[in-house]
Amino acid sequence: MAEEAKQETPAAAEVMVVEKADEVVAVEKAVEVEAEEKKVAEQEEEEEKKAEEAEEAAGGDEAAVIEGTGSFKEESNLVSELPDPERTALAQLKELVAAALAAGEFDLPPPPPPPPAKAEEPAKEEEPKAAEAPAAEEPKAEAEAEAEAAATEEPKTEEPKAEAPAQEEPKTEELAKEEAAAAAAAEEPKAEAAAEEAKPAEPETEEKTVVVTEDEGTSKTVEAIEETVVVAAPAAAAEAEAAAPKEELIWGVPLTGDDERTDTVLLKFLRAREFKVKEAMAMLKAAVLWRKRFGIDAVLAADLGLPELENVVFYRGADREGHPVCYNVYGEFQDKDLYEKAFGDEEKRERFLKWRIQLLERGILDQLDFSPSGICSMVQVTDLKNSPPMLGKHRTVTRQALALLQDNYPEFIAKKIFINVPWWYIAANKMVSPFLTQRTKSKIIFCTAAKSAETLFRYIAPEQVPVQFGGLYKEDDTEFSTSDAVTELPIKPSSKETVEIPATENSTVVWELRVLGWEVSYGAEFTPDAEGGYTVIVQKTRKVPANEEPIMKGSFKVGEPGKIVLTVDNAASKKKKQLLYRFKVKSSSESA
């Protein structure tokens, strides 16, 4: 037996050694995995730290704004509330606008005349046929004019009587010249007024009346009567037009008059130029002329046929102050087919530019209010996640669009929030920041991916923020809407939070919640108010990974008074989490 024991000992010892070796290997592997996870975590923390440092360096004043409540209001557009210098600047700009309208400075220049060669040839060919044209363009002998008129119009001629008006020839020719000048300068009231002063209308009318009395039957008389009417009518129309200049509208708002919205529009241009009146006037004039050249009215009515871009730029909800929010999601252009449809060639790029301007114009007309107490600007959120590099086919049209928006849509942005911004982008902004005005810098906010949702919620309530950006808004949500407020609750590292929802008898409790980043344990149960009642497990506690459905929904039919308890456990994470939730308690009749 002793020998058997001796023989078994080496084998047992060998097994023990193998087991210990396996344990050592397992321990070593565990240590390696832990070390690798720690290394990854450190790298992530280091990147976040760099991003935060870059954000603080680039943000400066913006960081202080983010730390606050996120609430902000537009500057007042009430004239009575403006400081004296601003009120004076507004009055001066109104005077300049009125003068410019009277002078026709907001009108596009007339198209250039046709080439001289083409214009002169037909005129020369018609000279022998027309009796009236020579009188208007170059002097001719009266006898030749009479002979030509007789040959072309009627065989009947009365030469003796035709000589009677010969004494009036200089004045008749002057009238013809005056009529031609008036027709050529129909859009220039000043030139026409000067012509009227040079030749008073009343004496000419009297002279023409005398001619009619002397010879009523001749074609000359008919021509004289027609000339009198033609000269008098444009003069009256020009005087009326000069007295009442044409109304000029921009975004449906007149640039002059008693409309209170006019002050709001003019203040936009003044603020964009720091209340420098002449510069504001130049910007306003350029914007109005650009709108006419670009054909804004035609663009608004056009069907540009780009439904594929509805997820690229869109309006969704409002911020905490009521400003409409416009989202720009350039990561959608990762779809190569979509990218080619939008920017494949010059014609497509031109269509994209018109589509972008059309979308902005419709948003302004549909969602903004230019009354002094109204909302007249919007919040823009630009998502830089997976956005294409600025070296692609879209580079030119993107720059063109930015230039048009800056030059022709002043003070329409209340806040510009960039989300999912790479840290190097924020660092690069530091180089550009000194060239921006303090007013512009105060409107721009940059935030990294880790802080994107948190930053958005400072300005936009979570129920208004689409799911893809961390909120709870869904297009097809039949249970909740933007009117159902969301509660925010921070969850500290290595801690647990519970949410209690009171439930009445014979009711249905509906809830939804979201933890940004998840990686926490979640469970739900119903606890009755009655002593000795049984707790019902509604949702078994489980760990929810980050890649799961972003929103967890639940419902429970309650037969007795009690409460629904939602539990979120952040024990396994060293990072603070943010919990969003909302609920409804519906009676049996509502549930049915």
Side-chain angles (χ1 to χ4, degrees), residues 369-432:
D369 177 10
F370 291 101
S371 63
S373 57
I375 299 294
C376 62
S377 63
M378 61 185 67
V379 172
Q380 277 203 354
V381 177
T382 299
D383 184 10
L384 295 181
K385 184 178 181 180
N386 299 324
S387 59
M390 286 300 294
L391 299 176
K393 297 178 181 179
H394 68 289
R395 182 180 186 183
T396 302
V397 70
T398 300
R399 288 185 173 182
Q400 188 177 359
L402 288 174
L404 290 178
L405 297 179
Q406 290 173 357
D407 295 341
N408 302 293
Y409 297 90
E411 298 297 310
F412 275 96
I413 302 300
K415 285 289 178 185
K416 178 78 172 178
I417 306 173
F418 291 87
I419 61 175
N420 295 314
V421 181
W423 68 268
W424 53 265
Y425 190 99
I426 299 177
N429 178 68
K430 185 179 179 182
M431 301 175 64
V432 182

Side-chain angles (χ1 to χ4, degrees), residues 81-279:
E81 296 180 1
L82 295 176
D84 289 339
E86 294 182 4
R87 196 180 310 162
T88 302
L90 178 60
Q92 292 174 352
L93 181 58
K94 284 184 173 182
E95 293 176 1
L96 291 179
V97 170
L101 281 171
E105 294 180 16
F106 287 100
D107 297 329
L108 287 174
K118 293 181 181 179
E120 290 175 359
E121 288 177 3
K124 289 181 180 178
E125 291 177 1
E126 293 176 1
E127 277 180 8
K129 297 180 181 180
E132 298 176 13
E137 294 178 0
E138 45 184 61
K140 258 189 165 188
E142 184 68 14
E144 292 179 8
E146 292 296 328
E148 290 176 4
T152 55
E153 294 180 5
E154 297 178 0
K156 174 183 172 181
T157 57
E158 297 183 6
E159 292 182 1
K161 292 183 179 180
E163 292 176 1
Q167 297 176 358
E168 305 291 331
E169 181 183 352
K171 291 185 179 181
T172 305
E173 291 176 359
E174 287 176 9
L175 283 170
K177 289 181 181 179
E178 182 182 341
E179 180 183 354
E187 296 181 358
E188 299 179 5
K190 291 183 179 179
E192 195 168 345
E196 291 296 322
E197 290 177 4
K199 263 312 176 186
E202 292 180 1
E204 291 170 1
T205 305
E206 290 175 3
E207 290 172 5
K208 291 297 178 182
T209 304
V210 171
V211 173
V212 173
T213 305
E214 291 178 358
D215 191 0
E216 295 178 355
T218 61
S219 60
K220 279 281 188 179
T221 304
V222 176
E223 291 171 10
I225 295 172
E226 290 177 352
E227 287 175 1
T228 305
V229 174
V230 170
V231 171
E239 289 176 4
E241 185 175 352
K246 181 182 177 183
E247 185 179 51
E248 193 70 60
L249 300 176
I250 183 169
W251 303 301
V253 178
L255 293 180
T256 58
D258 299 330
D259 194 320
E260 60 181 5
R261 299 175 301 165
T262 300
D263 293 338
T264 302
V265 170
L266 296 182
L267 282 170
K268 283 183 175 292
F269 288 89
L270 283 169
R271 286 172 176 142
R273 291 296 178 262
E274 298 179 339
F275 284 88
K276 297 176 182 177
V277 179
K278 291 184 178 179
E279 293 183 15

